[in-house]
């Protein structure tokens, strides 16, 4: 797997790409994409799509996901997002439901389930694991992606100021446990999946809280 990642991230993560674990990860992922036995998502050119649309110095918000979607045509490198024309997954339906209940927030008129419009405004839609086999959730966990994305979070926490981290569900909250909450706003809520959204995701008002914090710190609010 060649690392085709946006230049600001390539610079900030350059030491990581030289480490043994990443070399092993790259080899494993490359072999998975080349294997005739497996289909791997997202398409190879979109593995680092989240970084392409949200450059390092532009990060204002981080939303942490876990795995890419493992159904055909769903994953395109942005956590919780699907391409145009793809049916909206249940968790994203609930994200939109909460967004529309958060009545004071500035919302886009778009009804698209492609969240690139968020990413282009500085919302890093980061999955912990960046690849997955078709119909096999979690199949690329433990290859090394988690270590890589931990470093991404660490770099943002250490080198940026006043970023909002939205940690939905226990997995994301554990992954974000070392974020410096003196420098950043870290918001917790249950995961937006149908199994847990009614335990506190609905009503969390994370979208308006995010924009309030950004404006207090002289940053442009997100048009959700």
């Amino acid at each position: 797997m060649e690392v085709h990642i946006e230049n600001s991230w390539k610079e900030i993560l350059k030491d990581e790409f030289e480490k043994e674990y990443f070399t092993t990860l790259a080899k494993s992922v490359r072999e998975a994409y080349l294997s005739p036995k497996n289909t791997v998502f997202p398409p190879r050119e979109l593995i680092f799509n989240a970084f392409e649309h949200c450059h390092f110095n532009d990060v204002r918000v981080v939303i942490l996901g876990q795995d890419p979607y493992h159904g055909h045509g769903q994953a395109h490198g942005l956590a919780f997002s699907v391409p145009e024309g793809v049916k909206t997954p249940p968790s994203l339906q609930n994200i939109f439901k909460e967004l529309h209940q958060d009545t004071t927030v500035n919302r886009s008129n778009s009804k698209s389930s492609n969240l690139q419009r968020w990413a282009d405004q500085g919302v890093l839609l980061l999955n912990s694991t960046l690849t997955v086999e078709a119909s096999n959730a979690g199949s690329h966990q433990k290859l090394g992606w988690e270590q890589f994305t931990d470093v991404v979070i660490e770099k943002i926490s250490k080198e940026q100021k006043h970023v909002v981290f939205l940690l939905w569900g226990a997995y994301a909250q554990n992954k974000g446990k070392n974020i410096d909450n003196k420098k950043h706003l870290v918001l917790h809520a249950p995961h937006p999946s149908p199994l847990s959204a009614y335990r506190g995701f609905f009503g969390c008002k994370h979208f308006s809280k995010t924009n309030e914090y950004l404006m207090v710190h002289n940053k442009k609010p997100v048009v959700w």
Side-chain angles (χ1 to χ4, degrees):
M1 183 188 69
E2 296 181 23
V3 180
H4 296 292
I5 194 169
E6 189 276 329
N7 286 336
S8 67
W9 289 103
K10 184 176 286 187
E11 177 63 24
I12 206 77
L13 297 168
K14 60 184 178 182
D15 292 342
E16 216 59 26
F17 298 134
E18 303 300 322
K19 292 182 178 177
E20 183 177 355
Y21 89 88
F22 195 88
T23 301
T24 302
L25 164 66
K27 181 176 184 292
S28 298
V29 171
R30 181 171 58 248
E31 290 174 352
Y33 274 95
L34 292 174
S35 172
K37 298 179 181 179
N38 301 320
T39 300
V40 180
F41 300 128
R44 289 176 67 172
E45 67 274 14
L46 296 179
I47 292 173
F48 296 104
N49 198 28
F51 304 91
E52 188 67 32
H53 288 281
C54 182
H55 301 176
F56 181 74
N57 290 325
D58 297 332
V59 176
R60 289 184 283 159
V61 182
V62 179
I63 299 178
L64 286 181
Q66 189 166 351
D67 277 352
Y69 295 121
H70 54 80
H72 284 271
Q74 291 182 304
H76 67 139
L78 304 177
F80 292 104
S81 178
V82 292
E84 301 287 349
V86 175
K87 183 179 178 181
T88 306
S91 290
L92 186 54
Q93 291 179 28
N94 285 338
I95 289 170
F96 286 153
K97 185 174 181 180
E98 170 58 22
L99 174 59
H100 285 276
Q101 290 175 344
D102 197 351
T103 54
T104 63
V105 78
N106 189 10
R107 297 192 300 268
S108 166
N109 290 324
S110 175
K111 292 181 171 59
S112 172
S113 295
N114 185 340
L115 302 182
Q116 183 180 316
R117 63 188 180 277
W118 294 3
D120 289 337
Q121 296 179 74
V123 180
L124 182 65
L125 297 166
L126 180 66
N127 278 317
S128 176
T129 303
L130 300 188
T131 55
V132 69
E133 289 180 11
S135 305
N136 191 3
S139 50
H140 283 191
Q141 292 177 6
K142 312 303 181 186
L143 292 184
W145 280 129
E146 293 93 340
Q147 184 172 344
F148 174 72
T149 51
D150 281 347
V151 172
V152 171
I153 295 166
E154 177 186 345
K155 293 287 188 183
I156 297 169
S157 180
K158 287 185 175 179
E159 301 191 27
Q160 302 282 49
K161 291 182 179 179
H162 309 312
V163 173
V164 183
F165 291 84
L166 302 183
L167 308 183
W168 298 334
Y171 183 92
Q173 289 158 22
N174 184 63
K175 189 170 181 68
K177 64 185 177 183
N178 293 323
I179 296 166
D180 186 347
N181 58 16
K182 295 179 181 178
K183 289 173 59 180
H184 308 286
L185 178 63
V186 183
L187 296 176
H188 292 188
H191 195 276
S193 77
L195 296 175
S196 55
Y198 287 93
R199 299 207 302 261
F201 178 78
F202 292 136
C204 70
K205 298 189 180 298
H206 279 188
F207 301 103
S208 58
K209 289 176 180 178
T210 293
N211 281 354
E212 288 165 6
Y213 179 86
L214 293 173
M215 289 188 288
V216 164
H217 293 284
N218 299 312
K219 292 189 174 188
K220 190 175 180 180
V222 178
V223 179
W224 299 102

